[in-house]
Amino acid sequence: FPAVFMAFFVGITVFGYFERLSMVSSPTCFLDKLCIHQTDQDMKQLGISGLAYFLRHTRQMLVLWSPEYFSRLWCCFEVAAFYRCMREEATLGNGKQQRRLRIWPLTLGSFIICATLGFYVTVWALMAAYMH
């Protein structure tokens, strides 16, 4: 079981190394909760002002939805602005949608983590039983 986690972290490290050498590329991730200051109001306003730039250059938006998600004004703004970019692109482009908006309930993330861990535990148990 520890070998699985070790392989996972080694894989992430190697991938990050190759990414820095531009041998592979991965998408950049913008997490508004982490990238926009939450306590300093001046810095928060600067971050919110920059949202339009990030949204214009975003191909995919993943909303991790909870019941209180749309009670926050900037969350409503992000989704509405991204949806507008999608609509403008659809009318100006060749009809092929380049942007994607995905909305996942937070409970789905918990399910995926539990299912993945369950899979690894099962594989480990089967391997341990097979080896003996």
Side-chain angles (χ1 to χ4, degrees):
F1 195 62
V4 172
F5 287 113
M6 186 60 132
F8 175 74
F9 289 117
V10 168
I12 288 175
T13 304
V14 169
F15 182 79
Y17 176 73
F18 286 130
E19 184 180 10
R20 287 199 171 178
L21 294 176
S22 298
M23 297 173 86
V24 296
S25 64
S26 69
T28 302
C29 183
F30 172 80
L31 300 171
D32 63 351
K33 186 80 170 175
L34 299 176
C35 296
I36 296 177
H37 206 282
Q38 299 297 305
T39 56
D40 184 328
Q41 293 302 315
D42 293 331
M43 291 181 71
K44 186 179 206 176
Q45 184 58 43
L46 284 172
I48 292 171
S49 298
L51 281 176
Y53 173 83
F54 288 108
L55 293 171
R56 266 196 312 272
H57 295 87
T58 300
R59 289 188 312 249
Q60 290 189 48
M61 181 176 192
L62 173 62
V63 173
L64 300 175
W65 180 83
S66 66
E68 54 278 337
Y69 182 82
F70 287 108
S71 68
R72 296 183 296 268
L73 183 58
W74 70 86
C75 294
C76 297
F77 170 76
E78 286 174 336
V79 172
F82 187 76
Y83 184 75
R84 181 175 179 191
C85 289
M86 287 175 59
R87 300 298 300 159
E88 288 175 357
E89 184 177 88
T91 58
L92 297 175
N94 58 5
K96 183 180 178 190
Q97 190 67 263
Q98 300 294 320
R99 296 176 191 262
R100 295 178 71 176
L101 174 61
R102 295 181 181 177
I103 299 177
W104 286 4
L106 279 176
T107 54
L108 181 63
S110 301
F111 171 76
I112 290 172
I113 289 170
C114 289
T116 302
L117 287 175
F119 172 76
Y120 283 120
V121 166
T122 303
V123 168
W124 176 76
L126 289 173
M127 287 176 50
Y130 181 73
M131 294 291 190
H132 292 296

